[in-house]
Amino acid sequence: MSLYSSRRRTNALATTLCWTGTIFGLAWLVLILGALIYEGARGLTPAVFTEMTPPPGSSGGLLNAIAGSLVMTVIGVLLGTPLGMLAGTFMAEYGRYSKLATVVRFINDILLSAPSIVIGLFVYTVVVARVGHFSGIAGALALAVLVVPVVVRTTEDMLLLVPSPLREAAAALGLPRSHMLMRVAYRAAKSGIVTGVLLAVARVSGETAPLLFTSLNNQFWSTDLNAPVSSLPVVIFQFALSPYKDWQQLAWTGALLVTVAVLLLSITARALSSQGTQK
Amino acid sequence: MEAGFNRQTRDNSVSDLAIVDATPRAAEVDRRKVLGRMALFDFFFHNLTRAAAILVLLILGGVIFSLIYGSLPAIQAFGLGFLTTESWNPVTEKFGAVAPIYGTVVTSTIAMVIAVPLGLGIAIFLTELCPHALRRPIGVAIELLAGIPSIIYGIWGLFVLAPFLQQHVQPALISLTGDIPVLSSLFAGPPYGIGMLTAGFILAIMVLPFITSISRDVFDTVPPVLKEAASGVGCTTWEVMRYVVIPYTRVGVIGGVMLGLGRALGETMAVTFVIGNAHKVSSSLLAPGTTISATIANEFTEAVGDLYTSALIELGLILFVITFFVLAAARFMLMRIEQKSGA
């Protein structure tokens, strides 16, 4: 009888700990988002979207940083997505059981979680050190390298979900694989692949480390991608560590903007993918 | 295989897709032309996808090669001494990696000590205890935690968590452990707020969602029949987890933990904000320190001279090699559990 009650006690203790752990884990989300909204919303004025980043001790906005982030993210995604989709297609369709696909899958999974600062060093030695100066293009390239593994992974996973009878039906009509892919498989996997791209955008738009020594920073409006370009995360990093109150406030506001963008993207991606699976 | 398949369709004239309307002879010519074009396109597309796959391999190769190339000057100048020297002096150009490696290991260890039990607890909660209606919202919330960019954790850690720890937690830790031999040196010194303990704490919050979601996924691979059998002979929920689910998924859980460790080792921005960037090895967890990634992030753009830059790249190389092996081991273990659930 005492054995039974001690087992019950252990069980009650363990379940209580699991409950507390979950509440503890969720509390961080609430605390972080709460602080972010509280501090960030205070500085949310129209000037944030219309003025350039200010010199120390004066007020200003984040316009050039927002624009720089958008441009580099778009270029990075445009470069990384086709490459990722093609590689994912090879792994799911042409070379599904080949040795190459197994190796690429393994390497891709490692790239997926490789430290992003190392990717920054890679682009620095390959591009920046060769060309001799920091540039927006180098930043976009670094982001593209981060986009590729995400897109490869989701493309492969989504194509593998396409039922084989669909493929066989297309093949029975005499279509070669490439036509089957274009007309059947990609269409069936469309929402999944779009989800993957959105997740890649979400991941990349908050990245700071690979931009620190590729695109560097620029205090002014710049449309020249061959020159240093400002980006939101790098500005947040620089301003938050500064001793000036104005800059710190802008850093909080920028952090709020980045978080809202990233969370919106991942929630959209989630909604899209659940819609796709219900169909 | 591929070519044979195409030739067969052409010769046997199975496909009538290409014919719109014509006399048999003209149709035959048209069909051959269209099918030829399709086969050519297929050949082209096949090789394009293969090239893309190979390019992914080349990217990894390029990363390794460029890091080795970039760190050659430092390797030649310091040799293996780089790994055993503590001093980091840009003025005299004497560089050693001991302090950053030590900081990386210590902060990641703190992170894992906090995050592993917590992550497993949440995963158990989500798979066994949670009411069905809450399961999805809580799962999504934990995954949103994973999506928040690391710089947000950094700015929050610097302005919110570090002052809080400095005022309320660290003084208590110092006075509580003051008389206990080992702990007193672990928690010695003035409460700076920023330091290795704070960095480890932030890292724990960051890797928590990874460990949770992977453990939850591998817990879900346990066949219900096993759990039901255990419950059937009278096991409590905890005993089912402890003696059935966790042993069954051990390899996968370890894989998930290693994946979280890989993240913690390489995490840059969150740590850079709160570590304090001090190149010294101190026994106290409250003291400022540095990690490999924080050193690179803080000093790379200010590094003057080839040797300084090269030493930083060599740090990057060390980090990459460490995380590569950790991540490779993690993937290997996760692959094993996938095979198990597939069989």
Side-chain angles (χ1 to χ4, degrees), chain A residues 7 11 14-15 19 22 24 29 83 86 94 109 117 121-122 125 175 178 182 216 233 237 240 255 259 262 270, chain B residues 17 41-42 45-46 49 52 55 62 66 118 125 129 143 145 147 151-152 159 234 238-239 269 293 300-301 331:
Chain A
R7 282 175 55 207
N11 186 47
T15 27
W19 271 95
T22 311
F24 190 67
L29 187 66
L83 176 62
L86 287 172
Y94 285 107
D109 279 345
I117 195 157
L121 284 178
F122 164 58
T125 41
L175 290 182
S178 54
M182 301 279 174
L216 203 66
F237 176 55
T259 313
V262 169
R270 216 166 277 283
Chain B
L17 281 175
F41 181 75
D42 188 52
F45 195 70
H46 184 170
T49 58
L55 192 58
S66 69
L118 206 54
F125 175 81
L129 305 170
E143 279 162 33
L145 207 54
I151 189 155
I152 310 297
F159 287 120
W238 167 246
E239 284 162 352
M269 298 321 293
S293 50
F300 198 83
T301 44
R331 287 298 166 192

Side-chain angles (χ1 to χ4, degrees), chain A residues 69-205:
Chain A
S69 268
L70 282 179
V71 169
M72 283 192 291
T73 307
V74 168
I75 297 177
V77 171
L78 285 183
L79 287 175
T81 305
L83 176 62
M85 276 183 67
L86 287 172
T89 307
F90 177 80
M91 283 149 63
E93 302 286 342
Y94 285 107
R96 190 184 290 192
Y97 303 106
S98 67
K99 216 163 221 150
L100 178 63
T102 317
V103 176
V104 173
R105 194 170 299 132
F106 193 74
I107 295 300
N108 189 65
D109 279 345
I110 287 175
L111 279 177
L112 197 62
S113 356
S116 57
I117 195 157
V118 171
I119 305 298
L121 284 178
F122 164 58
V123 175
Y124 175 86
T125 41
V126 172
V127 181
V128 179
R130 291 268 162 282
V131 181
H133 59 84
F134 300 99
S135 69
I137 296 173
L141 276 176
L143 295 184
V145 174
L146 291 167
V147 167
V148 170
V150 183
V151 178
V152 170
R153 186 66 194 266
T154 42
T155 308
E156 191 200 357
D157 286 353
M158 291 305 142
L159 284 177
L160 288 178
L161 284 180
V162 174
S164 288
L166 280 182
R167 291 195 183 85
E168 288 154 11
L173 289 173
L175 290 182
R177 265 218 186 142
S178 54
H179 273 69
M180 182 277 289
L181 279 166
M182 301 279 174
R183 300 286 166 81
V184 181
Y186 280 154
R187 285 192 190 180
K190 194 170 73 186
S191 73
I193 296 176
V194 172
T195 305
V197 175
L198 285 179
L199 287 178
V201 176
R203 161 141 196 233
V204 154
S205 49

